[in-house]
Amino acid sequence: TPVNADVPTVVIQPLNSNNIVLSSQNVVLYGYSSSPNYMWSSLTSGLNLETSGTTASGTSSSVLVIIGSKLTPGQSYTIQLSSQSPTSSAIGRSQITFTVALNPTGGLVQVDPVSGAAMSTRFTIRTSGWTTQPNYYPFTYVMSYGYVNSVGVPYPQSYPLSDSLTVPTLATLLPSCPDSLCHGAASSLVVYVTAINLIGASATANSNFVPITVVAVDVGAIIDDIQSGTYDPTQAIQILTGLATTPNITTDALNLILNQVIANSQAVNTDRSIALTAQAINTVGSSTGVNSTNLLLALSNLIGQTSAVVSNGNSVSTETLNTITDSLSNIISNTPNPDADLLG
């Protein structure tokens, strides 16, 4: 019969103050045992940690990583960590119970007008009808758009329209589908709105398809609006990116666009806005005849802003860093004498 001294001490670190987790994120549990033996298990029906794809860590180390998508919003789960003494059959145990937050529901997205001209029509995007648990208001919103192919199927890529918003409305210009994707065919857009509640649980709704026609664009007028402060810096960069993809855009216009990207990039301070700026630089930099010195200045500013974001303790995604790398590669390949330009 094992004596109490043989029973390992087992502790599981709390997840947070209320042990509430999000289904959009993996659940990471940290355990401690005075014995080197670890075995995690689920005491909740429907969650078997031994099932392939349920964890990213296995069940026999001090850390357990449960894949968030395997968890059901609104359900509570109890996880047990067991540890057997190396010198006897004594087993120590500890348990933790956490609840997966319910995601927001009921959101609707409306775009007014229901169709329009690329980079000319001023669209108003509104979202409404979102509900969540009483203590999890208010919402913030992230808006983006994607292109729809000729048979009505959305392409998988989406592009940000703004940083996080505290109001459910956004007025903006929308671009036409670039030739590289739609190959000159008539195109439509779909607008996505992600509602995020106070604890970070989120859900996404989308608009009806918005047909977009291509018309001649007054680049100067749009840049005047940007310079007058009509749009915040992130939204301005999104609009500038759309302008750069306008058919038959001139080199002079692209250089005007690039100057505004440089001006607005000074204020970007989130992963989303950094990614959008890198996309803008990449789009402009893919064209011939654009001022290479200004392209390098734009990219240098962006790298500086990225470093500042990381220094402030915020994260920058691998996808964003890859976009910056792609921009640098494009600029170097499109610059006749990159060494001379880099040296200034």
Side-chain angles (χ1 to χ4, degrees):
T1 301
V3 296
N4 288 339
D6 289 333
V7 179
T9 299
V10 180
V11 177
I12 301 175
Q13 180 178 317
L15 286 161
N16 48 51
S17 60
N18 50 17
N19 280 339
I20 293 178
V21 302
L22 307 178
S23 60
S24 59
Q25 300 175 359
N26 293 343
V27 177
V28 183
L29 296 174
Y30 295 93
Y32 165 79
S33 173
S34 56
S35 163
N37 303 311
Y38 292 87
M39 180 55 65
W40 297 89
S41 59
S42 168
L43 302 184
T44 302
S45 175
L47 180 67
N48 183 350
L49 299 183
E50 300 298 331
T51 300
S52 176
T54 301
T55 76
S57 60
T59 57
S60 58
S61 66
S62 62
V63 179
L64 176 69
V65 180
I66 304 173
I67 304 301
S69 60
K70 301 295 182 180
L71 304 174
T72 302
Q75 184 168 338
S76 294
Y77 295 86
T78 299
I79 303 298
Q80 179 171 276
L81 175 59
S82 305
S83 182
Q84 183 174 340
S85 167
T87 59
S88 73
S89 61
I91 297 176
R93 297 180 177 86
S94 182
Q95 297 175 4
I96 186 171
T97 297
F98 59 83
T99 301
V100 184
L102 286 169
N103 294 323
T105 57
L108 300 173
V109 180
Q110 295 177 308
V111 181
D112 182 35
V114 297
S115 64
M119 306 311 298
S120 180
T121 302
R122 189 172 172 84
F123 291 93
T124 299
I125 302 166
R126 296 183 178 88
T127 187
S128 61
W130 294 101
T131 60
T132 189
Q133 292 157 285
N135 294 334
Y136 295 165
Y137 291 95
F139 290 113
T140 55
Y141 307 93
V142 173
M143 299 188 182
S144 59
Y145 69 94
Y147 298 107
V148 181
N149 68 20
S150 58
V151 294
V153 178
Y155 290 101
Q157 305 97 320
S158 63
Y159 308 91
L161 283 168
S162 71
D163 264 335
S164 180
L165 303 169
T166 58
V167 294
T169 303
L170 178 70
T172 191
L173 304 177
L174 294 172
S176 61
C177 187
D179 287 343
S180 59
L181 192 61
C182 293
H183 308 292
S187 63
S188 295
L189 293 177
V190 59
V191 174
Y192 303 100
V193 176
T194 299
I196 307 163
N197 68 17
L198 197 59
I199 64 168
S202 63
T204 300
N206 60 270
S207 69
N208 293 327
F209 295 164
V210 182
I212 297 291
T213 58
V214 177
V215 298
V217 175
D218 188 341
V219 174
I222 295 173
I223 288 180
D224 285 345
D225 282 344
I226 290 172
Q227 290 177 322
S228 67
T230 301
Y231 308 103
D232 67 45
T234 300
Q235 195 180 356
I237 291 172
Q238 177 265 318
I239 289 170
L240 290 164
T241 305
L243 274 181
T245 62
T246 301
N248 303 316
I249 190 79
T250 67
T251 300
D252 287 345
L254 284 170
N255 282 310
L256 286 174
I257 291 168
L258 179 59
N259 289 337
Q260 287 305 305
V261 170
I262 293 171
N264 284 275
S265 66
Q266 303 293 327
V268 301
N269 56 10
T270 66
D271 178 74
R272 177 176 291 270
S273 58
I274 287 171
L276 189 57
T277 306
Q279 179 190 341
I281 296 170
N282 200 2
T283 300
V284 176
S286 298
S287 303
T288 57
V290 177
N291 187 301
S292 56
T293 300
N294 281 352
L295 278 172
L296 293 169
L297 175 60
L299 192 59
S300 175
N301 287 347
L302 180 61
I303 292 171
Q305 292 296 99
T306 304
S307 298
V309 168
V310 174
S311 297
N312 289 332
N314 298 310
S315 62
V316 176
S317 68
T318 301
E319 182 180 3
T320 296
L321 294 175
N322 288 339
T323 304
I324 295 173
T325 301
D326 289 343
S327 297
L328 180 58
S329 297
N330 281 342
I331 289 171
I332 291 174
S333 63
N334 289 330
T335 301
N337 189 1
D339 292 336
D341 284 318
L342 283 167
L343 292 172

